[in-house]
Amino acid sequence: MRKALILAFLLATSTVQAQKASIKKVELAGEKIIVHYDLEDSNPANEYQISLYASQSNFATALTKVRGDVGNEVKAGSNKKIEWNIREELGPYKGKLSLEIRGKMFVSIAKIKNISEGDKFKRGKSHTLTWKPGNSNPVTIELLKGDQPISSQNNQQNNGSYSMFIPPHTVVGKDYSIRITDTKDGENVTTSHAFTVTRKVPLLLKVVPILAIGGVVAALAGGGGGSPDPGTGNNGGTAIPLPEFP
């Protein structure tokens, strides 16, 4: 199959910035095909939307079982790499196969500012989400667990701020994130770093008051065992003297 691979690289050009892309090599690694390329741009702040296509669909649909320097927000640089799992995408494919990489300048719908890896947010509360808008199109804002939506707000203003409410019955745990999608361009998506959802009230604070009440009950019950001292009374104080009879 190595000799049957024919690779073409297409990149949207610009009359303003000097851009250059070059394929270094294509290799087979088990059930994966790995494409190595360099992407040069005189402006390091520019980002690209990179997609990989194959001839089995006549280059009509972008491949999905890919990872690495592919998708949105790919920055210029050398030694870029795309890994494609051909077995997952096409099954036991046989025959010749041509690959094509397509790229275009990418401006993200949003740059999320205030969520960092490992942050913790309490369920049942609202948290202010801020971002830098990339355009003025309305957006969809989703709370994700892994890649599964937990809640969604559609047609929100792309104004850089949103009060994010985490439902009170959200499962406590890690691997949560926020996804913002351009409603007019479903491929323009940005996802925050992963964060953790915690309880609104820590479990320990819910248990301690019950333990404290149990301690008071034990104290009132005496807790020491045996009969009370007749000279002191049940409460440990001085006994009341009885009157003398003639």
Side-chain angles (χ1 to χ4, degrees):
M1 180 182 288
R2 185 184 301 274
K3 294 182 179 180
L5 291 176
I6 303 173
L7 184 66
F9 188 85
L10 302 180
L11 181 68
T13 60
S14 169
T15 59
V16 179
Q17 302 295 336
Q19 302 167 344
K20 180 181 179 181
S22 57
I23 299 299
K24 296 302 181 182
K25 65 177 179 178
V26 178
E27 62 177 323
L28 298 178
E31 297 180 347
K32 297 180 180 179
I33 294 177
I34 303 177
V35 180
H36 300 263
Y37 69 97
D38 291 344
L39 177 59
E40 300 177 11
D41 193 320
S42 60
N43 185 352
N46 286 341
E47 295 179 332
Y48 292 85
Q49 184 183 74
I50 301 295
S51 301
L52 184 65
Y53 292 78
S55 56
Q56 103 289 345
S57 66
N58 198 27
F59 308 104
T61 305
L63 301 172
T64 60
K65 303 303 180 180
V66 292
R67 58 180 297 179
D69 298 306
V70 64
N72 298 334
E73 302 182 54
V74 177
K75 290 185 174 294
S78 58
N79 300 318
K80 297 293 182 180
K81 182 172 67 174
I82 300 176
E83 294 184 4
W84 175 39
N85 194 315
I86 184 173
R87 176 71 66 175
E88 287 187 13
E89 186 97 36
L90 304 182
Y93 182 84
K94 294 182 180 181
K96 293 183 179 181
L97 186 67
S98 299
L99 297 179
E100 180 177 283
I101 295 177
R102 299 177 186 174
K104 65 180 180 180
M105 196 79 75
F106 177 79
V107 178
S108 177
I109 183 65
K111 292 284 189 180
I112 298 175
K113 295 181 178 180
N114 63 333
I115 297 182
S116 301
E117 191 76 31
D119 281 352
K120 296 180 180 181
F121 297 98
K122 293 181 179 180
R123 64 184 182 182
K125 296 188 66 177
S126 293
H127 306 272
T128 301
L129 175 67
T130 61
W131 67 89
K132 180 181 178 181
N135 58 41
S136 59
N137 293 343
V139 295
T140 296
I141 303 174
E142 298 170 288
L143 172 64
L144 305 180
K145 171 64 172 173
D147 59 356
Q148 298 299 314
I150 302 299
S151 63
S152 177
Q153 297 295 326
N154 300 321
N155 293 315
Q156 301 296 310
Q157 290 185 348
N158 190 11
N159 58 8
S161 181
Y162 176 74
S163 182
M164 174 185 67
F165 179 72
I166 299 180
H169 299 297
T170 302
V171 177
V172 171
K174 302 179 181 180
D175 197 28
Y176 284 92
S177 61
I178 297 296
R179 181 168 65 194
I180 300 178
T181 305
D182 188 333
T183 58
K184 295 183 178 181
D185 179 4
E187 293 185 355
N188 196 339
V189 178
T190 188
T191 304
S192 73
H193 291 294
F195 58 85
T196 298
V197 170
T198 64
R199 292 179 174 85
K200 186 175 182 181
V201 179
L203 184 59
L204 180 60
L205 296 181
K206 293 182 179 180
V207 174
V208 166
I210 299 176
L211 295 177
I213 293 173
V216 172
V217 172
L220 293 178
S227 300
D229 185 348
T232 60
N234 291 342
N235 61 0
T238 303
I240 300 175
L242 296 176
E244 297 183 2
F245 294 93

